[in-house]
Amino acid sequence: MGGAFVMERFSIWLRRSVFAVLFVALIFTIYRHYFAIDKTQEAVIGEVTPNFRLQTINDGELELKDLRGQALLINFWGSWCTPCKNEMPAIQNAYEQYKNDGFEVVAVNIYESATTVSTFLQKNNLSIPVVLDKNGEVYNTFNVRYVPTSFFI
């Protein structure tokens, strides 16, 4: 009977600990997305798109202002996101069909490493241009709250 009491106490302690960790994560997420965003350069409909410079998966850099004058699709995504995975073939097809007509795609991957993204692209036979927003700065500048999210400019 003493062992059952110890297991019950441990179970209660474990549940409380998990709840506390989840609560702290929730508070951090709310703070980061709603209060700690730098609003000095924010995307606003009808205004000039904020410039950004991000690393590509090949250790190069892409700066948005270099694509000025082209039709542009900016897509925020993650390899862990099922709807993102589902829409990638359509984005790839549009890119292949219209890239010679001045259409460009910038797929902004959020919070993932170059290795993870490269593996995902190879596995899914994708060749669209991808940049890495490892800290979510551009994600926040564009006021994105969910992925996938796309902007056509």
Side-chain angles (χ1 to χ4, degrees):
M1 185 146 147
F5 176 75
V6 170
M7 287 304 292
E8 183 179 331
R9 299 278 296 169
F10 177 75
S11 178
I12 291 170
W13 177 84
L14 182 62
R15 278 186 262 153
R16 286 181 179 168
S17 297
V18 168
F19 177 76
V21 168
L22 291 174
F23 182 74
V24 168
L26 175 66
I27 296 300
F28 174 76
T29 301
I30 290 170
Y31 172 77
R32 185 156 193 268
H33 286 288
Y34 294 103
F35 301 108
I37 299 170
D38 180 12
K39 303 273 186 184
T40 58
Q41 187 179 20
E42 183 177 85
V44 177
I45 293 175
E47 298 291 326
V48 174
T49 305
N51 187 44
F52 61 81
R53 180 184 300 175
L54 289 173
Q55 177 186 353
T56 66
I57 58 170
N58 307 346
D59 290 328
E61 280 190 348
L62 182 140
E63 189 165 4
L64 190 63
K65 73 178 184 178
D66 294 339
L67 301 175
R68 213 168 259 158
Q70 297 187 52
L72 178 63
L73 176 72
I74 301 174
N75 176 260
F76 291 88
W77 68 285
S79 67
W80 41 265
C81 163
T82 300
C84 300
K85 291 179 203 178
N86 293 340
E87 78 175 4
M88 282 295 179
I91 293 173
Q92 178 69 42
N93 290 339
Y95 176 66
E96 288 174 5
Q97 185 173 355
Y98 298 109
K99 68 182 175 183
N100 293 329
D101 297 325
F103 175 68
E104 191 63 58
V105 170
V106 177
V108 181
N109 177 271
I110 56 169
Y111 304 117
E112 294 185 283
S113 71
T115 303
T116 300
V117 174
S118 294
T119 301
F120 174 83
L121 295 174
Q122 288 173 355
K123 181 180 172 186
N124 293 283
N125 198 27
L126 299 170
S127 62
I128 56 176
V130 175
V131 293
L132 304 171
D133 188 13
K134 293 180 182 179
N135 299 320
E137 292 173 21
V138 176
Y139 175 85
N140 287 326
T141 297
F142 278 73
N143 293 314
V144 175
R145 295 293 169 242
Y146 306 100
V147 290
T149 294
S150 294
F151 297 89
F152 186 73
I153 302 169

